[in-house]
Amino acid sequence: MEVMQCIKSVVAAANHYGRNKNDINLINLQRQLDVLISVTADSSNLRHLEHKDLLPMECLASLVNSLNDTTHSGEASTLAQKIMLLLTNFAQKNEIRHTLYHTLHITPLLATLLQQNDNEPTIVQCAELLQRVTYGEKVPMKERYTEDLLQFLVENILAAENDLTSPCLGSLANLCRNNYAVQTHIKHMDYRKKLFKKLFAYIKHKSKRISAFALSIFTALCKDEDFGQLLYDSKNINQTFQMMFNTLVKGDTMARKYLVDLFIDLLINSKVQEYLVGFPSVQPCMKQILSLLGSGEGEIVYKLFELLLSCCKVSGLRCIICKTIMNISSLKTEPVGREMLRQGQISEPFFAVVHWIGQSVESHDRAPLLALDFLKEIYEEIIGFGLISKLPPRTDIVLPKITETLMSPMGDVKTDSVMQKKCQKITKSLELLLVLCQDESLRREVSESVDEETLCRLIEYQFSHNAIAMNKTHGQLEDSQWSCKGVDVVLCTLELMLTLKKLDPNMASPLAKLLQDDRLVPFLAFGMTSDSRQRVQRSLRLVMSASQLEEFQTVTLGEAISSNNSSKHQSWQERKQLNTNSSGLSDSPYSAPIAPTKTSTFNKENVPTVKPGSRGTKRQAVDQDESVQLLIKKMQSGLDIKDARASEIISVYEHRLQSLQTKENHLQDLLDTKALALQQADRLIAQFRCRKAETEAELHKLHSLLLESEKSCEELRDQVNEMRLDREQLQIEMEQLIQDNQRLDAIADEHKDLTQVYNEQSQRLETTQKALAALKQEHTTMSEMHEMLRRHNETLKQQHDVACQQLSELEDERKSLSRNLKESDSKLQDLTKSHQKLEQTYSKTAKERDELEESIDICRENLEKNEKTKKDLQRQVSSLELVLRNHETAIREKDTLIQNQKTEIEKHNQIAQLINQLSSGKAENLNK
């Protein structure tokens, strides 16, 4: 195999360079890396590559070690770029990406290279690899490198846009997804507001990929904040949905992946589900997404099926999706649909789904599995709500694909992962048939298309090759991971045979034989003791049906169930004992706080080595733990501590509890370092085994080459004589070829001129097409911005109308105050006249004077209240001024009216002061 040969050459070159770092070995390693990069650029070449094999694991370990050993010289930076490019190609396969992150722990190494390297191409390649490796992983915040990595990513996002912007946004989106600790850390940064504004600006970027990354980060950080209401408010969420659907339809593969993940995270919220169901354009948007199934690649189709399955879980959306995919005119005519599918025309969504059902799991990974799940959801909607009469089920197209899947041979599969996926595909196909059997008419079609020989062949294969048939328990299935999936194949097949038994008389006798077969007992026992609810229910249904037969092995089944339970209990006890022993190795006294006495360094393999400090005895820790638990029980039972030193006792125990917490953290650190050391040891063992196998293989190869070389030497002697005679003939032919070559050179020159003209024309066409696409994108974004500004203008006009109403109310209050002042003036004039007339009656005037003083006090109180209202009105006017300054010139004229009101109020104050002066002057005259 070409990929394995290239990997073997890279491993050998990396080992030579690691032992002797000279220019020759470096050039050889770079040459081998270039070859493997060109081979792995096509993801289809990684299809048969298993990450558990020794050679690929050795290659990954060698690449990580070489990357760790690179320096800042020019050659080393070139080598680092090529290694990271190769690892990026390898990370296209999910299993290898998982190995790089969890087994080889490449994330700390990449974080260190990002911060210490000054070469821009190396940093860009490192950021792209970091984005690829951290996709779908949850990076812990407690790691030492995480905070510095977040700081680096945020600083590059806030900087001017460059080549680092896109990978930094993608990496930050990976770190923020479903990681509350990282989100909290970013929200507490000093420049978080600046980051939020920058992300909001990137959402409107012309690049769909950058827009998708920014929207994912913005949603994770600001969805529940006030700033996030700009996108997810009830008024704006429809525009956000439209923008996300547009990016899904027009974006590239990376943008679509991140937007699908964002959609899946948003659909967890019930409010977002309600908004999406009420979205006016949800049906056209779903139609556009369904249309992508026929034109997309395997990776993006897998993500689209994930999105569709998440939408099917929302009440109200599954019906819309079902009607959209099934209510097509071409589906109503059977011959047309079969002919389109036969010719490979999968432009229609339903035909595309059926096409993906028939694809192999070896070439398209999990896309066929999700296609089966999606089609099961569609048929559950059609059958459950009685839509068969309205929507054509088209089982005439689906059933041949299902039977083809059931009849496909399983003996050709060589790897466990592919076998596991193939068993899952067969299980999901059988589950789809069970869903179709819920309707009486469709059950007859299923019975006619599926025969008992095919189903019996599936069960016989599992009986012969499944590890569970050899009475292996749950804990003994590590070497054969597909065996658990094979149990589902057996259970689903038997359940389908039970369902079709009434319609197919030929199904009864093989079903009875299978239920009474001794080899079925381990599968039923495994299903009944499984953690899966569906397996247990299917096993119980089969046991209930089989219990009516005479030769059913009831006793054997009970013994098998008991054996599985005992093995589970034993494995649980072993894990518990292992955890107890590991915790007992690092116990320390509780009487004093634990000081951090360990030092950690990084060795050549980038794995921390730990030097632990002193440890205490286990017995003392257990006794003090029991005393703490006893005190907690007494306090919970209600026993009051009445001693005068109760507070001191509580403080002592609080101190001890804190020491317990620090001890627990210390133990956790030791366990983590121990796990890292074990992983490093496993990796070294794997490297040693690989190198030993390589040396033995090379030894045998050299021996065989020596024998072949001796035989070839004798043959070559005879060939030399023949070659001498042929040389003379070849010289004559050579002269003729030289003449022909001259004529071909002239023709080649003319061809080069034509190709140059063609390239120039094609470049012009590409530039015009790119410019047209960019203009279309700008047009859509500008239309969206215009709609947002129009709505914002309407809200501001409403605020302006409210301000006008408040000003009119203030004018009415001012007029009422002026009327009261005029009435008070008239009363004062009447009082002066009565004072001149009643000078003789001094006692009466004194009483009237008292009454006048009381009325004046009341007026003063009223004036104070008016002043308070005036201050409140001034505050309201100032707040309105801030709003009205940003509007049109008509709003500014209202500011002048407010100033006129202020002058009138000042005049009112002057009038009030004059009244006070007049009243005080009259009082002095009366006293005189």
Side-chain angles (χ1 to χ4, degrees):
M1 192 177 184
E2 184 180 3
V3 180
M4 299 301 291
Q5 292 294 333
C6 294
I7 289 175
K8 187 176 181 180
S9 301
V10 168
V11 172
N15 291 333
H16 289 311
Y17 179 70
R19 289 191 295 267
N20 187 9
K21 295 182 178 179
N22 53 26
D23 295 338
I24 298 175
N25 291 333
L26 178 62
I27 294 171
N28 184 27
L29 177 58
Q30 290 180 354
R31 187 186 300 113
Q32 299 298 333
L33 288 174
D34 291 333
V35 174
L36 188 55
I37 287 169
S38 62
V39 172
T40 57
D42 187 4
S43 60
S44 61
N45 293 329
L46 303 174
R47 189 179 303 159
H48 302 286
L49 193 65
E50 285 293 326
H51 67 286
K52 293 183 179 179
D53 294 342
L54 293 178
L55 189 58
M57 190 66 186
E58 174 68 15
C59 179
L60 293 175
S62 301
L63 291 175
V64 173
N65 291 333
S66 300
L67 184 62
N68 194 18
D69 293 339
T70 53
T71 60
H72 295 286
S73 62
E75 295 179 348
S77 63
T78 305
L79 177 62
Q81 292 178 26
K82 293 183 178 181
I83 291 173
M84 287 186 287
L85 180 58
L86 179 57
L87 290 175
T88 304
N89 293 341
F90 274 131
Q92 295 176 1
K93 192 175 178 65
N94 292 330
E95 291 82 0
I96 298 179
R97 177 180 57 79
H98 190 78
T99 302
L100 287 173
Y101 181 81
H102 291 281
T103 305
L104 299 178
H105 303 284
I106 197 174
T107 310
L109 175 60
L110 296 178
T112 305
L113 287 175
L114 283 175
Q115 298 170 16
Q116 295 181 357
N117 206 314
D118 298 331
N119 191 1
E120 184 176 357
T122 305
I123 295 175
V124 173
Q125 189 64 48
C126 185
E128 292 178 354
L129 178 58
L130 178 67
Q131 178 187 356
R132 185 67 64 89
V133 171
T134 56
Y135 177 74
E137 303 292 346
K138 187 174 182 180
V139 179
M141 190 64 204
K142 64 181 180 180
E143 297 292 341
R144 297 180 179 178
Y145 65 87
T146 308
E147 187 173 351
D148 296 334
L149 178 60
L150 290 174
Q151 187 75 20
F152 175 82
L153 295 176
V154 172
E155 288 178 355
N156 281 277
I157 291 171
L158 293 177
E161 185 178 354
N162 51 21
D163 294 337
L164 266 176
T165 303
S166 179
C168 287
L169 284 171
S171 300
L172 188 60
N174 296 337
L175 297 178
C176 289
R177 189 189 178 197
N178 298 328
N179 197 331
Y180 181 74
V182 173
Q183 296 173 11
T184 306
H185 179 77
I186 295 175
K187 289 179 183 178
H188 287 82
M189 286 184 174
D190 296 334
Y191 37 77
R192 59 185 181 277
K193 293 184 178 178
K194 188 177 179 182
L195 176 63
F196 294 162
K197 293 180 180 178
K198 192 75 172 180
L199 291 173
F200 190 76
Y202 276 137
I203 291 174
K204 305 171 186 177
H205 199 274
K206 61 181 180 180
S207 175
K208 299 295 183 183
R209 179 178 294 187
I210 293 177
S211 177
F213 294 160
L215 184 60
S216 179
I217 302 170
F218 187 84
T219 303
L221 298 177
C222 306
K223 182 177 179 296
D224 298 327
E225 304 290 337
D226 295 336
F227 199 69
Q229 298 304 314
L230 294 173
L231 292 178
Y232 295 103
D233 191 15
S234 59
K235 298 179 181 178
N236 301 324
I237 194 167
N238 288 339
Q239 297 179 1
T240 306
F241 282 148
Q242 189 64 50
M243 179 178 62
M244 293 171 70
F245 280 119
N246 291 337
T247 307
L248 267 175
V249 175
K250 301 177 183 178
D252 56 358
T253 302
M254 189 70 70
R256 288 174 178 174
K257 286 174 61 176
Y258 279 80
L259 273 180
V260 168
D261 295 335
L262 178 59
F263 254 121
I264 293 173
D265 295 338
L266 287 176
L267 288 176
I268 299 174
N269 193 341
S270 59
K271 290 185 178 179
V272 177
Q273 294 178 4
E274 294 176 0
Y275 290 145
L276 185 58
V277 173
F279 180 48
S281 303
V282 63
Q283 188 168 1
C285 292
M286 287 297 172
K287 188 174 181 180
Q288 290 178 347
I289 292 175
L290 289 169
S291 64
L292 294 175
L293 297 176
S295 58
E297 300 176 354
E299 185 178 4
I300 189 59
V301 168
Y302 168 71
K303 300 301 292 184
L304 291 175
F305 276 128
E306 278 189 345
L307 175 61
L308 292 172
L309 288 173
S310 299
C311 293
C312 287
K313 295 178 182 178
V314 180
S315 60
L317 277 183
R318 189 169 75 166
C319 180
I320 296 173
I321 295 172
C322 180
K323 292 179 180 178
T324 303
I325 194 173
M326 302 299 293
N327 194 10
I328 301 173
S329 59
S330 58
L331 288 178
K332 299 178 181 180
T333 55
E334 296 185 2
V336 175
R338 293 175 185 173
E339 187 64 26
M340 291 177 65
L341 194 61
R342 189 179 298 109
Q343 294 177 0
Q345 298 177 4
I346 55 174
S347 58
E348 297 295 340
F350 181 79
F351 297 143
V353 176
V354 177
H355 167 75
W356 283 108
I357 287 175
Q359 298 303 307
S360 173
V361 292
E362 298 179 5
S363 58
H364 296 90
D365 200 24
R366 295 184 60 85
L369 305 180
L370 294 183
L372 286 166
D373 289 335
F374 177 65
L375 197 59
K376 185 176 73 171
E377 293 284 344
I378 296 300
Y379 280 117
E380 284 179 354
E381 181 71 21
I382 293 174
I383 297 171
F385 291 90
L387 301 176
I388 296 179
S389 59
K390 299 179 181 179
L391 301 175
R394 292 313 304 268
T395 52
D396 58 319
I397 299 176
V398 177
L399 288 176
K401 291 290 183 181
I402 299 298
T403 54
E404 183 181 349
T405 300
L406 299 180
M407 296 174 65
S408 60
M410 300 182 67
D412 299 337
V413 182
K414 298 180 181 180
T415 60
D416 285 346
S417 60
V418 178
M419 179 64 78
Q420 183 178 1
K421 293 173 185 176
K422 195 158 188 177
C423 289
Q424 287 180 341
K425 185 179 180 182
I426 293 174
T427 303
K428 292 180 183 297
S429 300
L430 294 170
E431 290 176 350
L432 178 59
L433 293 178
L434 288 171
V435 172
L436 294 175
C437 288
Q438 294 176 5
D439 184 75
E440 188 67 27
S441 60
L442 298 180
R443 190 187 305 168
R444 294 183 182 278
E445 296 181 8
V446 173
S447 177
E448 293 174 358
S449 61
V450 180
D451 56 347
E452 68 277 2
E453 294 181 0
T454 303
L455 301 179
C456 292
R457 194 182 302 113
L458 291 174
I459 297 177
E460 286 294 335
Y461 182 85
Q462 297 297 327
F463 284 169
S464 303
H465 299 83
N466 199 311
I468 295 175
M470 304 174 187
N471 291 325
K472 289 191 176 181
T473 57
H474 292 264
Q476 299 173 347
L477 298 175
E478 295 179 357
D479 297 333
S480 181
Q481 296 180 353
W482 67 270
S483 297
C484 299
K485 304 299 180 182
V487 175
D488 295 329
V489 174
V490 174
L491 297 178
C492 289
T493 305
L494 291 174
E495 188 175 7
L496 180 62
M497 293 176 73
L498 280 174
T499 306
L500 300 177
K501 181 176 65 173
K502 297 179 181 179
L503 298 176
D504 190 359
N506 298 327
M507 197 79 69
S509 59
L511 176 61
K513 291 180 181 179
L514 290 172
L515 291 176
Q516 297 177 26
D517 197 335
D518 296 340
R519 296 175 293 177
L520 179 62
V521 173
F523 292 89
L524 292 176
F526 187 89
M528 295 182 70
T529 58
S530 175
D531 297 333
S532 174
R533 181 185 305 173
Q534 197 171 12
R535 283 181 188 168
V536 175
Q537 292 175 354
R538 283 175 178 163
S539 301
L540 288 174
R541 285 194 291 268
L542 293 174
V543 170
M544 289 176 62
S545 301
S547 61
Q548 301 175 2
L549 302 174
E550 296 179 357
E551 298 181 2
F552 179 65
Q553 304 293 328
T554 307
V555 178
T556 309
L557 178 61
E559 293 177 355
I561 293 173
S562 177
S563 177
N564 287 341
N565 289 331
S566 62
S567 65
K568 275 187 174 182
H569 181 71
Q570 184 178 359
S571 62
W572 179 78
Q573 290 289 344
E574 290 177 355
R575 288 195 299 269
K576 183 179 179 181
Q577 185 67 26
L578 181 62
N579 293 332
T580 304
N581 293 335
S582 62
S583 63
L585 291 174
S586 58
D587 284 335
S588 59
Y590 289 97
S591 57
I594 297 175
T597 58
K598 64 177 183 179
T599 59
S600 62
T601 58
F602 282 84
N603 60 7
K604 186 177 179 180
E605 304 297 334
N606 199 29
V607 176
T609 60
V610 180
K611 299 178 181 179
S614 61
R615 302 184 179 96
T617 61
K618 183 178 177 181
R619 180 63 182 170
Q620 186 178 0
V622 173
D623 293 339
Q624 295 191 3
D625 190 17
E626 291 177 355
S627 64
V628 172
Q629 296 295 331
L630 182 61
L631 178 62
I632 292 172
K633 290 180 180 179
K634 289 182 179 180
M635 295 177 69
Q636 290 179 350
S637 62
L639 181 62
D640 296 332
I641 301 175
K642 298 180 180 180
D643 192 4
R645 299 178 60 190
S647 60
E648 297 179 358
I649 294 172
I650 292 172
S651 63
V652 169
Y653 278 103
E654 287 178 350
H655 181 70
R656 291 185 178 181
L657 289 173
Q658 292 177 358
S659 67
L660 290 174
Q661 184 66 31
T662 55
K663 172 197 170 290
E664 183 180 359
N665 296 332
H666 178 67
L667 294 178
Q668 186 63 36
D669 294 336
L670 290 176
L671 288 174
D672 294 339
T673 54
K674 183 178 179 182
L676 291 174
L678 289 174
Q679 292 176 358
Q680 178 66 17
D682 293 336
R683 192 172 74 182
L684 291 175
I685 291 170
Q687 292 177 1
F688 174 76
R689 290 176 179 174
C690 291
R691 291 173 182 173
K692 184 178 179 181
E694 288 175 0
T695 53
E696 291 178 356
E698 289 177 357
L699 180 62
H700 291 296
K701 186 177 179 180
L702 290 173
H703 182 68
S704 61
L705 288 174
L706 180 61
L707 296 175
E708 291 176 359
S709 63
E710 291 177 355
K711 293 180 181 178
S712 62
C713 287
E714 294 176 357
E715 294 175 356
L716 289 173
R717 290 175 184 174
D718 297 331
Q719 291 178 2
V720 167
N721 296 324
E722 295 177 357
M723 294 294 291
R724 289 176 181 175
L725 298 174
D726 295 333
R727 185 180 62 181
E728 296 176 357
Q729 296 179 358
L730 290 174
Q731 287 178 354
I732 298 171
E733 295 177 357
M734 184 68 70
E735 294 176 355
Q736 295 178 356
L737 291 173
I738 290 171
Q739 296 176 359
D740 295 334
N741 191 16
Q742 292 176 355
R743 288 183 295 171
L744 291 174
D745 289 335
I747 296 171
D749 294 333
E750 295 177 357
H751 182 265
K752 287 181 180 179
D753 296 333
L754 292 174
T755 52
Q756 289 179 357
V757 174
Y758 174 77
N759 291 328
E760 292 176 357
Q761 294 294 330
S762 62
Q763 288 179 358
R764 291 178 183 176
L765 179 61
E766 289 177 356
T767 53
T768 53
Q769 288 178 351
K770 290 180 180 179
L772 180 60
L775 291 173
K776 287 182 179 179
Q777 291 178 357
E778 290 178 358
H779 179 266
T780 54
T781 53
M782 292 300 291
S783 62
E784 292 175 356
M785 288 294 296
H786 179 268
E787 184 67 17
M788 292 176 64
L789 291 174
R790 185 182 63 79
R791 294 185 179 179
H792 190 58
N793 191 14
E794 290 177 359
T795 55
L796 290 176
K797 286 182 180 179
Q798 292 177 359
Q799 293 178 359
H800 173 63
D801 296 334
V802 172
C804 292
Q805 291 179 0
Q806 291 179 355
L807 288 173
S808 62
E809 292 176 359
L810 291 174
E811 183 66 23
D812 295 334
E813 291 179 359
R814 187 188 63 78
K815 291 179 179 180
S816 62
L817 290 173
S818 62
R819 291 174 185 172
N820 292 330
L821 288 173
K822 290 179 181 179
E823 290 177 1
S824 61
D825 290 334
S826 61
K827 289 181 181 179
L828 287 173
Q829 291 177 0
D830 295 334
L831 289 172
T832 52
K833 291 179 181 179
S834 61
H835 178 67
Q836 291 175 359
K837 292 179 182 180
L838 300 174
E839 287 179 352
Q840 297 176 357
T841 59
Y842 178 75
S843 60
K844 293 181 180 180
T845 55
K847 293 180 181 179
E848 292 176 355
R849 184 187 63 186
D850 295 334
E851 293 176 355
L852 289 172
E853 287 177 354
E854 290 177 358
S855 63
I856 291 169
D857 293 334
I858 293 170
C859 292
R860 289 177 179 173
E861 291 177 356
N862 291 329
L863 288 173
E864 290 177 356
K865 291 181 180 178
N866 292 330
E867 289 178 355
K868 290 181 180 179
T869 56
K870 181 188 71 175
K871 293 179 180 179
D872 295 334
L873 292 173
Q874 288 177 352
R875 293 175 183 173
Q876 294 178 359
V877 169
S878 61
S879 64
L880 290 172
E881 286 176 354
L882 294 174
V883 177
L884 294 175
R885 286 174 186 172
N886 298 324
H887 293 73
E888 299 177 353
T889 57
I891 299 173
R892 294 177 181 175
E893 293 177 359
K894 297 299 180 180
D895 293 336
T896 57
L897 295 175
I898 293 169
Q899 292 178 359
N900 294 329
Q901 293 294 329
K902 288 182 179 180
T903 54
E904 290 178 0
I905 291 170
E906 289 177 358
K907 290 179 182 179
H908 173 68
N909 291 332
Q910 292 176 1
I911 293 169
Q913 290 177 2
L914 291 173
I915 293 169
N916 291 330
Q917 291 176 1
L918 291 173
S919 61
S920 62
K922 289 179 182 180
E924 290 177 358
N925 292 328
L926 291 174
N927 291 327
K928 291 179 180 180

